[in-house]
Amino acid sequence: MSVIVTGAAGFIGMHTARRLLDRGETVVGIDNFNTYYDPALKPARTGLLESHPAFRMVRLDISEAEALNALVRDTGAKRIVHLAAQAGVRYSIDNPFAYQKANLAGHLSVLEAARHNGIEHLVYASSSSVYGDRPLNGSGFSESDPTSAPVSLYAATKKACELMSHSYAGLYGLPQSGLRFFTVYGPWGRPDMAYFSFTRKILAGEPIEVYGEGRMARDFTFVDDIVDGIVGVLDRPPPGHQPRILNIGDSRPIGLMDMIATLETALGRQAVKIMRPMQPGDVTATFADVSALKALTGYDPKVPLEDGIPQFIDWYRHFYG
């Protein structure tokens, strides 16, 4: 039976679909191919997937509930990896209705399609943004920590998705796992992410804007490690009435200035830095406690930033010439 991957032309979606194909699954990808970032990336990612005979891409907006339900029914799929969403904290400041449609209406459409078509496990993307702005205190953010003070609309929609999923588990016994992603990076990544845009500007000899005056930290997680966690969770559905929420990250937060230094070393160039204050919606730090995910799947991130950044740069140079 097929596995449906929403957002399959996206960064994490493409890598997840490819891993599933590599282990012998049949995958149906869904994506609306929006133009939030460089429109060349999604077709190129899709081209990699479509070279596999067990993959099919469907161009569809997941907020179109009837069309999505018909597709899930027709595929006969029993598992969904739901990664489609409107990403970006800063973009949500000026484009709030994009998040209402993609994240709220889209997630509800997926839930409805799952419950009406006997889906045996729905794995969906949440975000570390739900934890709000909090300082590092020597221990990672735990799934039991408060998540009632989001500092961006993006974060608020992701928390709302978790709550919708919780209600559907209770009402309909729909087995679900929500994954709170922590700053994913790597080849085929998103151009709106700092490491990606910094690479472009450093190579072009342009200055980079360093927000929070560099006093920020992120739990940078290489995409292959993320996919390990996604697939491990997909293979282990919870009881229908007991939805789970899990952190998925590297559990080794890196300072923003240290990330920039790693980029400079890998590129062989120094960045011209313009220090800026914190932007609205940003958080100071992220730090994943992944003990629950490790206990469930054996999850063990293997790629440190100093190895992952060169892999991204190798891909970047090849893709953009």
Side-chain angles (χ1 to χ4, degrees):
M1 285 179 279
S2 301
V3 180
I4 290 175
V5 178
T6 73
F11 170 38
I12 302 174
M14 182 273 282
H15 283 279
T16 300
R18 189 159 63 172
R19 179 73 64 82
L20 292 170
L21 291 166
D22 287 346
R23 73 173 195 169
E25 304 275 11
T26 298
V27 178
V28 177
I30 299 173
D31 208 287
N32 69 351
F33 289 83
N34 67 18
T35 56
Y36 168 62
Y37 54 68
D38 182 358
L41 274 170
K42 287 196 171 188
R45 295 181 187 130
T46 302
L48 288 180
L49 297 173
E50 288 181 331
S51 65
H52 200 294
F55 179 81
R56 175 167 66 102
M57 178 66 83
V58 178
R59 186 182 290 260
L60 177 68
D61 190 319
I62 59 167
S63 67
E64 298 174 9
E66 291 184 6
L68 180 64
N69 183 69
L71 176 62
V72 175
R73 181 188 65 234
D74 293 346
T75 63
K78 294 303 177 186
R79 292 166 293 162
I80 298 175
V81 181
H82 173 36
L83 303 173
Q86 177 58 60
V89 168
R90 294 169 187 168
Y91 189 74
S92 71
I93 303 296
D94 297 320
N95 301 276
F97 289 102
Y99 295 77
Q100 176 200 39
K101 181 180 181 182
N103 298 5
L104 299 179
H107 191 73
L108 183 58
S109 294
V110 171
L111 288 171
E112 278 289 280
R115 84 166 175 108
H116 286 297
N117 292 287
I119 293 299
E120 296 170 358
H121 195 190
L122 168 60
V123 177
Y124 67 91
S126 186
S127 170
S128 62
S129 296
V130 301
Y131 290 111
D133 192 12
R134 46 184 293 184
L136 294 178
N137 61 5
S139 60
F141 302 174
S142 170
E143 293 90 346
S144 62
D145 290 347
T147 55
S148 58
V151 297
S152 68
L153 179 65
Y154 168 73
T157 62
K158 285 299 187 179
K159 180 60 180 178
C161 290
E162 292 183 1
L163 294 173
M164 284 192 282
S165 281
H166 191 276
S167 69
Y168 266 65
L171 288 169
Y172 308 113
L174 177 60
Q176 297 175 74
S177 299
L179 301 177
R180 290 174 176 167
F181 291 110
F182 282 70
T183 313
V184 188
Y185 76 99
W188 295 99
R190 281 176 25 211
D192 62 321
M193 300 290 284
Y195 73 93
F196 198 120
S197 64
F198 287 175
T199 296
R200 179 184 63 78
K201 290 180 179 180
I202 293 170
L203 287 174
E206 300 173 4
I208 63 173
E209 295 182 309
V210 182
Y211 289 98
E213 298 180 335
R215 295 189 292 271
M216 301 167 69
R218 292 290 182 269
D219 200 343
F220 291 101
T221 314
F222 193 67
V223 66
D224 288 353
D225 289 329
I226 285 287
V227 174
D228 286 345
I230 293 172
V231 173
V233 170
L234 180 65
D235 291 342
R236 296 166 174 84
H241 293 283
Q242 298 178 25
R244 60 164 75 105
I245 295 289
L246 296 164
N247 290 333
I248 180 167
D250 189 78
S251 197
R252 291 174 287 190
I254 305 291
L256 179 56
M257 298 304 293
D258 292 329
M259 184 272 283
I260 294 171
T262 303
L263 274 177
E264 291 173 325
T265 298
L267 290 167
R269 301 189 184 190
Q270 293 295 303
V272 178
K273 307 174 188 70
I274 300 174
M275 311 308 281
R276 301 290 193 196
M278 188 85 78
Q279 281 202 320
D282 276 354
V283 298
T284 306
T286 62
F287 182 5
D289 176 348
V290 295
S291 55
L293 180 59
K294 183 174 183 178
L296 177 68
T297 69
Y299 177 73
D300 182 23
K302 298 176 177 61
V303 184
L305 191 71
E306 57 269 25
D307 293 337
I309 285 293
Q311 291 188 52
F312 164 73
I313 290 171
D314 286 346
W315 167 82
Y316 184 96
R317 291 184 187 274
H318 176 76
F319 188 77
Y320 288 103

